[in-house]
Amino acid sequence: MRISLCQGLLTGAIILNLLILYYVSRAQQQMMEKRKELGRGTRRASLPASWSRGRPGEFENFENYVGDVANSFLHQRPELPFLAVADTFPYPPLVLPDGARLLVLSPTPDQPPQVHRPEFHVQTEFVLLVPDGVELEQPRAIERLIRELEGEGGGPVRLVAAPVLARSAVQCLHLRVNLREWTATYSPAASGSSGSVCTALHGDAVVLIRTEDLFNLSVPLGRPLFSSLFVQTALRGWKVKLLESPCFSANHRPLFSSAHNQWKADTRLKDATGKIMRSFGLKRLLLPDGKEQWYGCSKETPRCFGTVQDDTPDYLYLDRWTPPCCLRALRETTKYVINILETSGVRYWLEGGTLLGAVRHQDIIPWDYDVDLGIYLEDVPNCDHLKNLDSGSLVDANGYVWERAVEGDFYRVQYSEANHLHVDLWPFYPRNGVMTKDTWTEHKQDVEFPEHFLQPLVPMSFAGITAYGPNNHRAFLELKFGEGVIENPQYPNPAKKRLDRSKL
């Protein structure tokens, strides 16, 4: 029987893949056997695999000292497996000594997935995370770290670290991650006599962690390494112990030989931090010096959530509340609109859930997604931003979009043309002592009410300013929402998603 060219190529490809799978499987089996042999010695399998990925625990492709790091560790401890890990193949290529290997994480279509997964390449009990440019001068320093970690007995301390002798000392921090509020808060931690125990580090340090713990993290090798690592360990309640000694030397400081390369490294660090924080759902970082970093929506981007269905935004189904960037935008828009209404002589009051937030929190309800203000219809001609909105929209000098809502006879002020977070203005008018309007929604709180609630309007604290609301806010809110609404918070549509009050 003759075999065609296509059949021959297909048969060859199948044989090649089988050979690759065979050799990968054989290599994994040999590594496991080697680990068992090491475990029969005087110590358990305690040889750490070290790697670098330009900042703590990382390296940059365009300029690095990974070869020198490998030479230093392998000169002192030639039996140590040294693994350099890169997202993609480094260019220029790394020059590594014998005994050091490179692992590229990006998969390729011609190889099985195990080739690019680090957990198949690390067969020791511990992993040592080493910053670029660090050298090992004390061969027993690694055993000291291992003893410290073993001495914790599997308690909350799941990582130990040793400082790198550099220009700035490594800092021990407390890190609190609140996924519900999309926020990570860093604060300084006090030093202890036998080493500091905290939940995050800032600066250069060599970190030891059990291999099992590292690869039980969702993103074990996320970049930036320390930022990614400590967010995940803090959420698990793990702590890191920063020792005063041993110290590791760093002859290559600063890491970069030119201002341009330093700028490139800083830019990459900023981009990588934004990417990993967004992937973790963290949109706001509060730093130890009191500054903030934001990774959520802005005036130039769309808002962080899509169209709201059944009064229940998508983030509630994720057991999260309104992203802090959205709350910030809503506050800014509300302050801006209220200032214009007051200077224009338009009477307004906090309406519906916005009034409820003012009474409960002196702010927007933490899971709300817009702001509602009632206004007197007869005052609309007093405001230049509103009186000409019979059709179309107006983008004012500060980028806010004023428009007549397509859903009915009311007005909407959007944060920007790109970001549609908004304040709704509901025009009411009195009729026989009752405030009514021409457009009604299906919300149960959207009802007529006696005008005496607005005579007079009273000042209230709201979102950092003094705004105006009905004079008997409890009676007003219970008329709209029902008795006990202030003391019994609930999501807008409990039939779709109920608030677990035990988590408040």
Side-chain angles (χ1 to χ4, degrees), residues 326-340:
C326 298
L327 291 174
R328 179 179 66 169
L330 285 172
R331 294 186 190 105
E332 290 178 8
T333 307
T334 302
K335 294 174 186 178
Y336 183 77
V337 170
I338 284 177
N339 180 62
I340 288 178

Side-chain angles (χ1 to χ4, degrees), residues 118-136:
E119 61 267 34
F120 287 96
H121 297 263
V122 180
Q123 301 300 326
T124 53
E125 185 175 356
F126 301 93
V127 172
L128 196 66
L129 306 172
V130 183
D132 190 14
V134 169
E135 297 181 356
L136 178 64

Side-chain angles (χ1 to χ4, degrees), residues 18-28:
L18 289 174
L19 286 172
I20 292 172
L21 288 171
Y22 168 75
Y23 282 113
V24 170
S25 176
R26 183 178 177 183
Q28 292 169 3

